[in-house]
Amino acid sequence: MAIPAKVLPGFSTSLWMQSAATPTPLTTANLSVWLAQVTTIVGTVANGTGTAGVAVPVEAIPAFGMDDAMANFSVAGSRQSDKMPAQAAPTSLTITAAWNPADAALLQIRSDAYSGVVDRTFVIAAVEGTNTVAYAFNGRVGQFQIDAQPGAESKCTFTVHPRGNQYGWSNN
Amino acid sequence: MKVSDAIETIVTSYGDINLVARGLEVDAGELAKATAEPDTAEAIALALLRKYNVTAPVVVIEEVAPEVAPDTTE
């Protein structure tokens, strides 16, 4: 789907996810639909909360998108070979959050990581004023570690692996 | 395939909807008349169907007989 042609100067980003223990992730087409779909997770108001969503208290939003993948072809006698873009896997998001054993979102992510087969819709919301641009994707949590070193606050680190092709952009 | 069925197939898919739409063949006339509310999954599905079911406009070519030059020889 096309990226919304809207520039948000000085925006802030946040991570949201479906709150149900066994959610039904949005279908690929619905990941690009703001009203009644993405808004059920991030709410209709900037930095609000949808009825079926919860904010994930992350330190920062990591890079997201797709990895690089290419095939290298060569022709005998040619000095240079040719690089052809090929099917690239979506970029996994390794996320760090302050570990709070009472936080519902982090407990749900830990539960997903134990399972490994729970598909859930995540939304990265970029907000500037009343404008929201949302990147929604379906993914599974594949790692969950708690780092409880005595010299610093406890942190948890987890990785969200997006499902291939299941993403969409929308905005309000 | 009916346009409504094709839309339903795309809307409920968890795969690559571009790839799904590419494999669906629908009636061009029905597709031209189909409408969907904006910011809905149906509108996205319809746009994809129109992208991959391009209908060429009908061009009528009239055959015109070339003008015959007057015979100036005697």
Side-chain angles (χ1 to χ4, degrees):
Chain A
M1 296 302 109
I3 298 173
K6 170 72 180 172
V7 177
L8 301 180
F11 63 88
S12 63
T13 53
S14 52
L15 180 67
W16 306 76
M17 69 177 199
Q18 289 177 313
S19 55
T22 52
T24 302
L26 302 184
T27 62
T28 307
N30 280 320
L31 290 170
S32 300
V33 177
W34 174 255
L35 276 179
Q37 299 298 334
V38 174
T39 53
T40 62
I41 301 169
V42 299
T44 52
V45 182
N47 279 327
T49 306
T51 53
V54 62
V56 186
V58 300
E59 283 187 348
I61 304 294
F64 59 93
M66 71 172 83
D67 296 343
D68 187 21
M70 61 89 191
N72 199 346
F73 295 92
S74 58
V75 177
S78 176
R79 196 178 70 80
Q80 281 195 329
S81 62
D82 194 11
K83 285 184 174 179
M84 304 292 284
Q87 286 179 327
T91 301
S92 297
L93 290 80
T94 299
I95 295 167
T96 301
W99 171 236
N100 175 5
D103 187 89
L106 294 180
L107 289 177
Q108 193 59 62
I109 282 176
R110 185 178 66 170
S111 173
D112 285 3
Y114 283 145
S115 166
V117 294
V118 176
D119 280 325
R120 187 179 296 279
T121 298
F122 293 83
V123 181
I124 294 172
V127 172
E128 182 267 317
T130 57
N131 298 314
T132 302
V133 174
Y135 175 77
F137 63 96
N138 294 336
R140 295 179 174 186
V141 182
Q143 173 209 10
F144 189 90
Q145 296 171 330
I146 297 171
D147 183 359
Q149 292 182 46
E153 68 171 356
S154 296
K155 290 183 177 181
C156 64
T157 304
F158 56 92
T159 301
V160 180
H161 297 291
R163 303 295 305 273
N165 303 304
Q166 296 179 29
Y167 66 91
W169 291 91
S170 61
N171 67 84
N172 68 341
Chain B
M1 183 181 231
K2 289 170 66 177
V3 170
S4 57
D5 293 339
I7 288 175
E8 183 69 13
T9 303
I10 295 170
V11 167
T12 55
S13 172
Y14 281 100
D16 181 349
I17 52 176
N18 272 275
L19 198 60
V20 173
R22 222 179 287 177
L24 299 173
E25 196 174 324
V26 293
D27 179 71
E30 194 187 347
L31 187 61
K33 292 175 191 164
T35 57
E37 290 286 319
D39 194 31
T40 60
E42 287 75 16
I44 290 167
L46 200 55
L48 285 173
L49 286 173
R50 287 194 173 129
K51 182 178 177 183
Y52 295 115
N53 282 270
V54 179
T55 51
V58 178
V59 178
V60 178
I61 301 172
E62 286 185 28
E63 198 168 310
V64 180
E67 282 186 26
V68 179
D71 190 2
T72 54
T73 57
E74 291 186 8

